[in-house]
Amino acid sequence: MKLYYSDASPYARCVRVFICYHNIKGVEEIIANPFDNSPELLRVNPLAKIPCLQLNDGSALFDSEVIMRYLDAEFGQSQLFGTMVNNWSKQCHFSLLKGIFDSAVSLRQEQLREDEGLRSAFWTSRFEQALLRGLKEVETIGVIASAELTALQIMLVCLLEYIDFRHPDLPWRKVTSALSLWLKDAQQADVFVATRPA
Ligand SMILES: N[C@@H](CCC(=O)N[C@@H](CS)C(=O)NCC(=O)O)C(=O)O
């Protein structure tokens, strides 16, 4: 299998944590900058986004959710996702986390538009508010209650570390002190240390 990824991508990091956690061998990691539009990446993902996992039969899986679910089902007896199939509120917790990822990445894109003089104060504030409201909600829905590592917890560590990395001034710890406390312990696990961007 080949995984197209970048070190800084929080979505790709989640996938790499799954690979590490399930000790999956034989995954060739290929660094790809999606904005290069390389023919190799475009061949496997017409959206030109990472992560993308090319399977040994040549077919490709994206996005990160599909890849994580695939790896967990094929190599981990769905241990990390557990039985979410008809559990609609758990599915919605997943959507909430994915939505916060999207806000954090969109906020980063707004930062990059600063150089072109195109940064929008409206969108910057909208993404920041969604992100902070979303994290407050995550604090109340029991994601951090499980003593066993879960798919949602993996996403949460990757998300919070990404926010610290790209948005160090965002005051998320002030509004979600329980998440902040939880992160201190959770982020020490080997799977996070091994996949942390240098
Ligand atoms: N929903 C996708 C989002 C992936 C994504 O947006 N990745 C970013 C890198 S962090 C990317 O490839 N951006 C290129 C683009 O938006 O064109 C997932 O979960 O995998």
Side-chain angles (χ1 to χ4, degrees), residues 92-112:
C92 192
H93 298 167
F94 195 81
S95 306
L96 176 64
L97 276 164
K98 277 187 78 170
I100 306 172
F101 269 82
D102 293 345
S103 297
V105 170
S106 300
L107 191 57
R108 169 71 182 157
Q109 279 162 3
E110 279 303 318
Q111 274 173 356
L112 295 175

Side-chain angles (χ1 to χ4, degrees), residues 72-186:
D72 198 34
E74 286 293 311
F75 299 93
Q77 297 169 318
S78 295
Q79 181 198 338
L80 290 168
F81 276 98
T83 47
M84 285 170 74
V85 182
N86 284 329
N87 187 333
W88 303 116
S89 66
K90 262 245 176 83
Q91 298 279 7
C92 192
H93 298 167
F94 195 81
S95 306
L96 176 64
L97 276 164
K98 277 187 78 170
I100 306 172
F101 269 82
D102 293 345
S103 297
V105 170
S106 300
L107 191 57
R108 169 71 182 157
Q109 279 162 3
E110 279 303 318
Q111 274 173 356
L112 295 175
R113 287 156 66 97
E114 182 100 69
D115 298 343
E116 302 164 58
L118 291 173
R119 183 172 187 167
S120 155
F122 171 80
W123 285 108
T124 297
S125 157
R126 190 163 173 84
F127 294 138
E128 277 179 6
Q129 295 311 311
L131 201 159
L132 293 173
R133 277 195 312 265
L135 288 179
K136 270 186 99 161
E137 179 72 11
V138 168
E139 203 170 46
T140 66
I141 57 178
V143 172
I144 60 176
S146 163
E148 294 289 311
L149 190 67
T150 64
L152 293 175
Q153 291 184 349
I154 289 175
M155 292 174 71
L156 186 55
V157 171
C158 294
L159 170 67
L160 294 175
E161 288 198 355
Y162 176 78
I163 294 171
D164 278 343
F165 171 50
R166 290 299 193 199
H167 309 297
D169 297 331
L170 204 76
W172 69 269
R173 284 186 169 79
K174 282 203 182 124
V175 286
T176 59
S177 54
L179 292 189
S180 168
L181 208 63
W182 173 83
L183 179 67
K184 273 191 192 154
D185 261 1

Side-chain angles (χ1 to χ4, degrees), residues 5-9 12-21 29 154 157-158 161 187 189-198:
Y5 83 107
S6 85
D7 254 352
S9 165
R13 182 160 179 225
C14 292
V15 168
R16 294 176 67 233
V17 171
F18 271 66
I19 292 171
C20 193
Y21 184 86
E29 294 194 330
I154 289 175
V157 171
C158 294
E161 288 198 355
Q187 67 188 166
D190 291 349
V191 288
F192 298 116
V193 175
T195 55
R196 190 164 290 139

Side-chain angles (χ1 to χ4, degrees), residues 9-11 34-35 48-51 63-64 109:
S9 165
Y11 306 99
F35 299 105
K49 291 192 181 204
I50 51 160
D63 59 4
S64 59
Q109 279 162 3

